[in-house]
Amino acid sequence: MDATPTPAAASPAPDPAPVPAPGPPPFAPVRTPLFPTAPAGASRLRRIAVPVGVLAAVVGAFGYVATVDPNQPGHYPVCPLLRFTGVYCPGCGGLRSAHAFAHGDLAAAFGANALAVAGYAVFAALWTVWLIREARGRPLRIAPRPVHWWAIGAVLLLFTVIRNLPFGSALAP
C-alpha cells in the first residue's frame, strides 16, 4: 500500500482567528479628568504649579475686567444672540458681573448675572480643593459623567428661559 497524503493532510492547518485585545468596547466614552496632574513623585512646588498658574490666569482676567469697564460702550463686543434676537443668553451680563465682583460690589454682581457669581463660588471651592490635594500629593480627579453635563445644560437652559420671561426680569442684566 502506498501512503499518499490526502489533500487535507498536505496543507497546513489555518491559523485561528486573532483574539481582540482586552480593553474598552468600541465607542465607549473616554472619561478624562478635568484637571491636569503632576507626575507621581514630583516635588510639592511642581505639583502646585498648575493650580497656581490657573489662579494667576483667572486673577489676570478679573484684573483686566476690573480696569476696563464693560459698562462703557466700545470696550467689549456685544453679545450676538442679544444683538440679533433680543434674547439674553446665560452669559449676558457676565462681564459686568465680573467687574462688579472685582470691585467688591456683590449686589451689582448678582444683578448683572447671578449664575456667574455662583460660578465664581464653585470655581473658588474646586480650586481650593484642587490646590490642597495637589500639595498633599493626591491629585484631584473629576470626571463628570454625561448625566452631569446634561444637568449643567439644563440649569443653563432654565436660567436662560427664566431671565427672558416677564416674571424673571430680576435675573436679566
Side-chain angles (χ1 to χ4, degrees):
M1 293 234 156
D2 195 2
T4 59
T6 60
S11 65
D15 290 333
V19 178
F27 305 111
V30 177
R31 295 184 58 211
T32 58
L34 288 178
F35 301 105
T37 59
S43 70
R44 180 175 292 184
L45 185 61
R46 185 170 178 198
R47 286 193 309 259
I48 67 169
V50 173
V52 169
V54 168
L55 182 65
V58 169
V59 167
F62 268 81
Y64 179 79
V65 173
T67 57
V68 181
D69 190 0
N71 295 307
Q72 301 296 321
H75 293 294
Y76 298 99
V78 177
C79 173
L81 185 67
L82 180 61
R83 177 179 223 156
F84 295 120
T85 66
V87 174
Y88 295 118
C89 75
C92 281
L95 286 174
R96 291 187 296 276
S97 173
H99 179 77
F101 188 82
H103 286 278
D105 189 358
L106 290 179
F110 270 107
N113 192 326
L115 194 61
V117 177
Y120 308 152
V122 168
F123 172 79
L126 281 175
W127 184 86
T128 303
V129 171
W130 182 24
L131 180 70
I132 290 169
R133 289 188 61 91
E134 284 291 342
R136 293 180 179 170
R138 298 184 331 212
L140 178 64
R141 299 199 191 282
I142 297 178
R145 296 180 179 189
V147 68
H148 299 127
W149 291 115
W150 281 103
I152 291 169
V155 167
L156 291 172
L157 180 64
L158 187 64
F159 178 72
T160 303
V161 169
I162 291 173
R163 77 188 316 203
N164 283 290
L165 293 175
F167 66 86
S169 63
L171 295 175

